[in-house]
Amino acid sequence: MSPFDVSRPAKPETVFDRDAEWDALVAFACDARPGAGLGIVSGRLRQGKTHLLKALTAALGGFCFGAQQAARAESLHRLGDELARYTGEAPPGRPSRWEDAVDALLALGERGRPVPVVIDEFPDLVRQSPELPSVLHSAYRRLRETGRENRIRLLLSGSSLTVMHRLFGAAAPLHGLADLELALRPLDFRQAARFWGIDDPRLALSVHAVVGGTPAYRRYTADDTPGGRDDFDAWVCRTVLDPRTPLYLEPRHLLQEETDHGDRALCHSALAAIASGCSTQGEIAECLGTPLTDASHCLALLRANGLLYDEPDAFRPNLVRLRIAEPLLAFEHAAVRPLRSALEQQDAVEVWRRARPVFDSAVAGPHFARICRDWVLDFAGRDVFGALPASAAHGSLSDPEQRAGPDVEADVVVRGRADARPGPVLSVGLARWDEVMDLRHLEDVRRLLALLAARDEDVTRARPACYSGVGFTPALRAAEADGQVVLVDPARLYRGDRPDGEDARRRR
């Protein structure tokens, strides 16, 4: 294909899913309007950004430069050499300044047609040359002020979310130049099941609780996928618990690449505290035995790198719980890290036998509840809860009859839309990963609804719901048939209730 052919190519078969991302990139790269374009592609490590961008430049005859951790002079020399190979022209000399290198890149857009140019892992270059963002900004400003004919479509990609936010956040000079801002996120749980080739919904949930939706992790297992539910334990032992596989040290590598050395130990301990059940900054600081200011700094760092996220309580908006965003980190810090020393001395099968109950209760159980909340927002039909859900969150309530007892928990609280205030309660539900649910669970949900009514919440339209990883009794199924309860099992999570004519994933 000619570098100047602006016909829009189909997505290559080597790119799994990512249809919306591909369409956005192609639309940007093929935009024939005059003027230089700038696009930003961000996303955590291992999500497939490089593969996607290389596929784009290959399909459209563009240029892709992958930055590395190197000295400034080496990066400039590499860029000059790769540009010369791309253009087929003898280089006038290796650039010694970023001003010259940027001018050479922008010259690719002066050939009359749009041409995609990718700088992958842009933050690595900025660490070497802090002046680079200003150089780019000045070059684009000159192009726009002089009105020079240039149709470069420059894409800057990066995995360091903190650096990308600093460079392209709302207050940054480059932000105002961007025509495209694309975030590449992990595959959702349905996409991940297809990617791993798993048809059994409960097995897919178990695997997702270990490796989540990060595409690279299938390659890290050498394409080893569980042969069935009976093979899951053995699969864990021969992949994530095997020191010979990349997955074994991946949790450590994630923090090495996303945090500074001085913060790394505290970050590991903070993740272990969250995995053990601590969920607020105060609880985590107390568990770590560290001042709240130190814990807050560590947690802010993990948030900024996309490894933690905040989840406001469904009933107490001022109460925010911290959740681990990457399932592999939750798996590591809850089930594996306490047994690391044993794993280095004993057979993985024996260590996993000890870790498996912790996995079921502290990893798979909470992960199942999270997937149920995701299903509500991304896949439940409009008629399931009587209106389009606006949020799905965990909620906790104090029980006036048990003042000294623990809070009453609701795993899936669904609210509808409202202006600047909590929306109406559409549903309250319990999620049980390893428990057949019966009428007793329905009564527990009704008790929760009564507590909410006593707090003046409008629950007149709220539908009780039960989410189970292993199923429901005939009596509870009969209650579902009578319209008394919404029941959701793994099969429904993975195969049912897509909204009519709507891609629900765009709601969020």
Side-chain angles (χ1 to χ4, degrees), residues 233-234 237-238 241 343 346-355:
D233 292 326
C237 292
R238 66 180 183 258
L241 299 187
L343 194 58
Q346 301 176 22
D347 181 69
V349 174
E350 173 59 25
V351 175
W352 178 240
R353 185 187 63 79
R354 292 159 55 191

Side-chain angles (χ1 to χ4, degrees), residues 396-442:
S396 59
L397 287 170
S398 57
D399 188 343
E401 296 182 4
Q402 300 181 14
R403 294 184 180 180
D407 288 344
V408 182
E409 309 283 336
D411 300 297
V412 187
V413 180
V414 184
R415 288 188 180 273
R417 300 187 182 278
D419 296 327
R421 58 184 177 79
V425 177
L426 302 180
S427 177
V428 172
L430 301 177
R432 299 291 183 265
W433 168 242
D434 252 346
E435 193 174 339
V436 175
M437 301 184 79
D438 56 25
L439 292 176
R440 172 177 51 87
H441 295 93
L442 176 56

Side-chain angles (χ1 to χ4, degrees), residues 168-184:
F168 304 108
L174 287 175
H175 176 82
L177 299 176
D179 305 290
L180 171 72
E181 295 183 47
L182 181 67
L184 209 66

